Amino acid sequence: MADFSRFGIPSREWQEHIEKFGPAPETPVGKMSALAIQRSTNAGREEISAQQMKAEGLSTKVAIQTLLIHARDNFLIPTRVYTPKKTGSFLSNLPIYVFYHGGGFVYGTLDSEDAACSRIVVAMDVIVFHISYRHAPRHPFPEAHNDALDAFNWIIENAEGFGGDLGNVIVGGVSAGANLACHVVLARNAALARDYENHEGAIIKGLVLATPWLIINEEYISYEEFVAKEKASRLQCSNAPMVSSKVLDFFVACMGEGVHECNDANPNVGLVSGKKLRGLPSTTIMVAGSDPLRDEGLLFAQNLNQNGVPVKVHVFPGLPHGFRRFDGLPSSRRWDQLVIESIKWSLNNQTVANGMDLTFNVE
């Protein structure tokens, strides 16, 4: 029986942050329209990213290009490409990291992720593709999921033209973006299973899921696998800062009624059968302890492990969902390190022996 509640107690690191800077701002659900909240949040995220780009000198080290990729309905998906800025050298055979941002399927823009993507390129020679999929509430489910897959397929067809190595592809995402990353990798894995001999294209070597939101429809969560219902993170952390149950409900409402029907895509990737997980690439999962989404990430890791997928888990005990936005937290630096380490781990074909007990690395 599962019990991860020990990770949910607010850490000293978070308590000291609150004492110094005050409580984290609350999402004004019910006080502003969804679109107003979206505009305000996106503006704040873009401002922070721009400040970080300048403070860390990232613009001098990374070349940034913006593309528009045709979706299945001819919508143009904004996509940004980040490559090392090396004078006089032609980029070739670089690993590819396809990234989907977080934000509850409501927040996020191209500009809001410049710093996060640039840091990866600075830390290692890699091409980062950031896909800015369509967002709710203007674009309900499954438009984000369709964009995620359509853009990924285009990138794989064209990545060599950017100097990318199709034999070294990693897919990753944060929160809602981790859901999209899972969706894409599961779709590619299913296609490979259907037509292995004739399948051409990328070799996805790894999956990096940071504070993943893997079960959109809470009504599908089974609490029978927990020692007690109140120990489950959806209840224990229901009033957590940053992302609470109220905020999750807001995000789901923005996605529209179609998300409950799941006809065109499955938003509950954390509940797929073990059969569909077999053959997935090595996976890193990073979870925040004081996060309503904590347990679905940890249980998904266990399911992957039980189905022969090499998996690493890193837990930031006592920290809330979205803590990375606070640069002053020591754990924010560790978060950045882990993203790089996780990409390298998968690229280097590191594996975990089948049958080994899964270890939670406590940060």
Side-chain angles (χ1 to χ4, degrees):
M1 302 292 281
D3 181 6
F4 310 119
S5 59
R6 64 190 182 278
F7 298 130
I9 303 170
S11 66
R12 184 60 195 160
E13 179 183 4
W14 182 250
Q15 291 172 341
E16 290 177 351
H17 175 82
I18 295 302
E19 291 170 2
K20 185 174 182 179
F21 298 103
E26 293 185 7
T27 302
V29 176
K31 300 176 182 178
M32 297 171 59
S33 70
L35 290 175
I37 294 173
Q38 182 185 63
R39 287 192 296 269
S40 175
T41 302
N42 283 344
R45 289 173 59 155
E46 289 177 350
E47 182 180 4
I48 290 172
S49 181
Q51 291 171 350
Q52 293 170 342
M53 289 289 290
K54 184 176 181 179
E56 299 173 37
L58 296 172
S59 298
T60 64
K61 304 170 186 176
V62 180
I64 301 176
Q65 178 183 0
T66 301
L67 310 173
L68 296 174
I69 297 174
H70 281 274
R72 63 192 69 185
D73 61 358
N74 288 322
F75 175 80
L76 296 175
I77 307 167
T79 302
R80 195 155 279 176
V81 189
Y82 303 80
T83 54
K85 187 178 284 187
K86 295 186 176 180
T87 305
S89 61
F90 178 74
L91 301 176
S92 63
N93 296 319
L94 292 183
I96 299 165
Y97 182 56
V98 180
F99 172 71
Y100 301 92
H101 61 257
F105 301 100
V106 175
Y107 312 143
T109 68
L110 279 182
D111 293 342
S112 69
E113 310 306 309
D114 277 346
C117 293
S118 295
R119 288 190 191 103
I120 297 172
V121 174
V122 170
M124 59 183 294
D125 282 341
V126 63
I127 300 175
V128 176
F129 289 87
H130 165 223
I131 299 168
S132 187
Y133 51 88
R134 279 174 277 189
H135 298 83
R138 282 201 173 101
H139 302 283
F141 177 85
E143 292 189 31
H145 287 72
N146 292 342
D147 286 355
L149 186 57
D150 292 348
F152 179 85
N153 289 337
W154 185 93
I155 288 168
I156 296 311
E157 292 173 1
N158 295 274
E160 290 180 326
F162 294 91
D165 178 5
L166 291 179
N168 283 304
V169 178
I170 310 292
V171 183
V174 178
S175 190
N179 185 295
L180 297 177
C182 262
H183 170 69
V184 167
V185 173
L186 285 166
R188 295 286 295 191
N189 197 49
L192 180 61
R194 286 193 300 268
D195 191 13
Y196 181 80
E197 290 186 359
N198 296 319
H199 185 79
E200 297 179 356
I203 298 175
I204 301 178
K205 279 193 165 183
L207 185 57
V208 181
L209 307 177
T211 55
W213 187 13
L214 303 178
I215 305 174
I216 305 303
N217 296 309
E218 187 178 2
E219 60 267 27
Y220 290 113
I221 296 176
S222 171
Y223 292 101
E224 294 179 357
E225 54 193 319
F226 294 93
V227 294
K229 186 175 181 179
E230 62 270 16
K231 297 285 189 179
S233 59
R234 287 281 185 146
L235 276 75
Q236 182 196 24
C237 306
S238 62
N239 295 314
M242 306 291 288
V243 172
S244 62
S245 293
K246 183 179 181 180
V247 172
L248 289 175
D249 290 344
F250 164 71
F251 290 150
V252 174
C254 286
M255 295 176 75
E257 288 300 317
V259 76
H260 300 289
E261 300 168 2
C262 310
N263 292 326
D264 299 313
N266 180 11
N268 305 307
V269 291
L271 298 178
V272 299
S273 67
K275 181 179 179 180
K276 293 182 179 180
L277 297 180
R278 292 170 201 149
L280 289 188
S282 58
T283 301
T284 299
I285 296 180
M286 298 159 53
V287 302
S290 188
D291 179 359
L293 307 179
R294 176 194 70 214
D295 291 353
E296 53 208 72
L298 297 178
L299 290 173
F300 188 64
Q302 291 182 339
N303 201 4
L304 289 170
N305 182 62
Q306 291 164 5
N307 285 280
V309 178
V311 58
K312 291 194 308 143
V313 179
H314 299 272
V315 182
F316 291 87
L319 289 177
H321 190 96
F323 71 84
R324 175 56 191 89
R325 67 180 289 181
F326 301 109
D327 272 352
L329 290 172
S331 290
S332 291
R333 301 276 74 79
R334 179 58 180 151
W335 168 288
D336 293 345
Q337 293 170 357
L338 278 176
V339 171
I340 304 303
E341 291 174 12
S342 300
I343 294 172
K344 290 181 177 179
W345 177 68
S346 290
L347 289 174
N348 292 332
N349 295 308
Q350 297 295 325
T351 60
V352 177
N354 291 340
M356 288 187 64
D357 290 337
L358 183 62
T359 299
F360 292 165
N361 299 291
V362 178
E363 300 301 329

